[in-house]
Amino acid sequence: MDSRNNNNRYYNDYPYPGDGRQTNPYYNSGNNGGSGGYNGPAPQPPQPGNGKGGSFLLGMLLGVALTTLICGFVFVGMKVYEAVDSKNVAKKGTAQSVVSEETEKKLEAIEEVIDEYYYQDADIDVDAMTEGMYAGMVNALGDPYSVYYTEEEWNDLMQETAGIYYGIGAYLMIDPNTGLGKVSGVIENTPAEEAGLRADDLLYLVDGESTMGMELSEIVARVKGEEGTKVHLTIYREGETDYLEIDVERRQIEAPTVKYEMLENNIGYIQITEFDDVTTDQFTEALAVIKGSGAKGLVLDLRGNPGGSLNVVVDIARQILPKGLIVYTEDKYGERDEYSCDGRNELNMPLAVLVNGNSASASEILAGAIKDYHKGTLVGTTTFGKGIVQRVLPLTDGTALKLTISAYYTPNGNNIHGVGIEPDVVCEFDSDAYYDKDVDNQLEKAVEVLSE
């Protein structure tokens, strides 16, 4: 049990039995005609001009170290910060252990081969290689939502979920069609807005490096940086004949997660950009002002909202829904957790909910529950389709894991993972009208639906 009452086990030492050069079946220390080697054919020294050999091996090891910070405003799904009960995991776990005498010996063999052959000794970063092993183990799950956080990354993430970070003020995600980074939304009065970035802009290059094939965490880490510095973005924007070259200055971003106003004809408007720790209070205040202004209908805007905290979205749903189930999750053991509403704060005015392809995860929990209860009309385009839950599990050395732990289901038992939620009223976004004429055609459609 550590100082934070986290009862998790952190394996920080891997005992290596005996003298590896004598007992390790993966490596022989003998010269074998001038070269150390593995059991079997001895590896030949790299030929002039080849440039592979040890550098390839180190590159492979360091490559897995590139899982970096996923900020609170990218598509990370639902974050529930709990410490793992290692005894419970050990009891329930059914997977074969990766940590074994065999893998320990092979790690030692790889280390010895690098030590003997790799010629750029000064470039070896042992800490990065060690972190890379941990990150690689999580990456090998093949789940884009499961991530290993270093201590620095974990601290940054905790700050960002509080609504403050250093960056440009854009929400980022991976575009499923191209594999490039994509801007899913822009925060008002931030460097991103001032530089002219728009939702759906594709980040082709970040400081001259392609984002193709990068993890989302790596893209975010490259966009973020020290306050006052600039990041150069090469943008592909639909309708443009050439790439856009944009420099954006990094600043401290205090991200408001809720925006509200009164529209014409006594229609209230509330936009939620994400579900962070600060969002519940901001939404409660916004709803109170809207009600106090005599609103006869409400537009709830979830477009571009990548998700956030499960607990936060449940708290907000309890201010809208009737009595009943909001959402339930089910893990690999079939254990089910239910989140319900007592109905005492049910919204008593017509409701329209704006959604699009960047509305994901926690946004879909709220939109799905509203649709199942026929509490409001969904307007826009099909949502992203992320129906799985992640939990962040801190380790006692200050690092953490984010793992997919369960699937979630709407009140009617629908899992929308990979499918999304179809709107009741389909309305494609007219970007030309929005950016050239300042006309939001989807918002206009939502207001029209409420007027009907």
Side-chain angles (χ1 to χ4, degrees):
M1 187 74 71
D2 69 2
S3 60
R4 292 172 296 179
N5 294 321
N6 292 335
N7 189 29
N8 25 347
R9 183 182 306 166
Y10 171 62
Y11 300 95
N12 59 352
D13 291 311
Y14 291 87
Y16 299 129
D19 181 355
R21 289 185 177 270
Q22 300 299 324
T23 64
N24 197 326
Y26 291 100
Y27 185 82
N28 293 324
S29 59
N31 287 332
N32 272 343
S35 67
Y38 305 96
N39 286 341
Q44 299 300 313
Q47 299 301 314
N50 190 350
K52 295 184 180 179
S55 63
F56 170 77
L57 179 59
L58 183 61
M60 182 171 62
L61 288 172
L62 293 179
V64 295
L66 296 179
T67 298
T68 52
L69 175 65
I70 294 185
C71 81
F73 306 124
V74 300
F75 178 51
V76 298
M78 290 155 290
K79 303 182 286 284
V80 183
Y81 301 106
E82 296 183 12
V84 63
D85 184 342
S86 61
K87 294 182 179 179
N88 194 35
V89 171
K91 179 180 179 181
K92 287 187 174 183
T94 57
Q96 183 178 354
S97 175
V98 174
V99 182
S100 66
E101 182 178 352
E102 192 79 1
T103 53
E104 290 170 3
K105 289 180 179 179
K106 187 165 184 177
L107 282 173
E108 186 181 51
I110 291 172
E111 188 174 46
E112 291 179 9
V113 170
I114 292 173
D115 182 60
E116 185 164 345
Y117 284 99
Y118 188 65
Y119 75 103
Q120 291 180 314
D121 296 68
D123 295 337
I124 295 178
D125 186 333
V126 175
D127 290 338
M129 293 176 70
T130 303
E131 296 291 341
M133 287 193 301
Y134 305 144
M137 186 174 180
V138 179
N139 288 344
L141 295 173
D143 176 15
Y145 305 114
S146 293
V147 180
Y148 168 80
Y149 295 114
T150 65
E151 184 174 4
E152 180 181 1
E153 292 165 355
W154 170 235
N155 289 334
D156 287 345
L157 182 64
M158 290 298 290
Q159 290 179 4
E160 287 157 2
T161 57
I164 299 174
Y165 73 103
Y166 292 92
I168 64 173
Y171 304 106
L172 303 180
M173 64 183 297
I174 296 293
D175 179 59
N177 297 319
T178 64
L180 296 171
K182 183 173 79 170
V183 176
S184 62
V186 175
I187 302 172
E188 288 188 350
N189 303 316
T190 63
E193 184 185 58
E194 294 165 6
L197 288 179
R198 300 179 181 179
D200 293 326
D201 281 348
L202 296 179
L203 304 183
Y204 178 60
L205 302 175
V206 177
D207 284 334
E209 295 194 48
S210 173
T211 65
M212 177 71 71
M214 281 188 184
E215 298 285 344
L216 181 57
S217 56
E218 186 178 357
I219 298 173
V220 170
R222 291 173 184 270
V223 171
K224 292 178 57 185
E226 294 183 7
E227 186 173 16
T229 61
K230 291 184 177 181
V231 59
H232 183 76
L233 304 177
T234 302
I235 299 294
Y236 170 78
R237 179 177 295 166
E238 187 175 356
E240 297 290 338
T241 58
D242 201 356
Y243 293 107
L244 305 177
E245 305 291 341
I246 300 177
D247 287 310
V248 191
E249 183 179 357
R250 302 176 176 105
R251 294 204 302 258
Q252 178 174 311
I253 306 297
E254 297 184 12
T257 62
V258 176
K259 171 187 173 182
Y260 63 92
E261 62 178 307
M262 286 296 295
L263 307 176
E264 294 180 358
N265 301 322
N266 291 323
I267 300 296
Y269 171 86
I270 299 178
Q271 179 188 40
I272 304 177
T273 56
E274 62 185 326
F275 296 95
D276 270 353
D277 296 342
V278 297
T279 307
T280 301
D281 289 342
Q282 291 179 1
F283 177 82
T284 302
E285 177 185 350
L287 188 58
V289 171
I290 293 296
K291 288 180 177 179
S293 300
K296 296 180 180 179
L298 174 64
V299 176
L300 178 61
D301 192 348
L302 300 179
R303 292 174 298 178
N305 185 320
S309 167
L310 173 59
N311 291 333
V312 170
V313 72
V314 166
D315 286 342
I316 290 173
R318 288 173 177 149
Q319 301 184 53
I320 297 174
L321 297 177
K323 182 178 181 179
L325 191 63
I326 299 172
V327 64
Y328 68 90
T329 65
E330 196 169 285
D331 65 16
K332 67 177 182 178
Y333 306 106
E335 294 183 0
R336 177 167 161 166
D337 288 326
E338 297 184 350
Y339 300 82
S340 299
C341 176
D342 59 20
R344 289 183 293 182
N345 298 312
E346 181 180 357
L347 189 67
N348 59 358
M349 68 177 72
L351 174 67
V353 182
L354 288 170
V355 294
N356 64 7
N358 296 330
S359 304
S361 194
S363 298
E364 294 172 292
I365 287 179
L366 184 55
I370 290 172
K371 183 172 184 177
D372 281 4
Y373 282 109
H374 304 287
K375 189 62 188 174
T377 303
L378 271 58
V379 179
T381 55
T382 304
T383 62
F384 185 87
K386 180 174 181 289
I388 50 179
V389 182
Q390 282 70 51
R391 176 173 294 167
V392 177
L393 305 129
L395 303 179
T396 54
D397 69 332
T399 63
L401 299 179
K402 177 165 69 72
L403 296 177
T404 299
I405 61 166
S406 58
Y408 76 75
Y409 299 83
T410 68
N412 287 347
N414 299 317
N415 177 260
I416 51 81
H417 191 65
V419 178
I421 301 173
E422 295 286 342
D424 300 302
V425 177
V426 176
C427 181
E428 296 287 341
F429 181 64
D430 187 341
S431 60
D432 291 336
Y434 183 81
Y435 290 108
D436 296 340
K437 302 177 182 178
D438 197 25
V439 174
D440 187 338
N441 70 302
Q442 289 180 324
L443 176 57
E444 289 187 343
K445 175 58 72 172
V447 171
E448 178 185 322
V449 167
L450 290 177
S451 300
E452 294 172 353

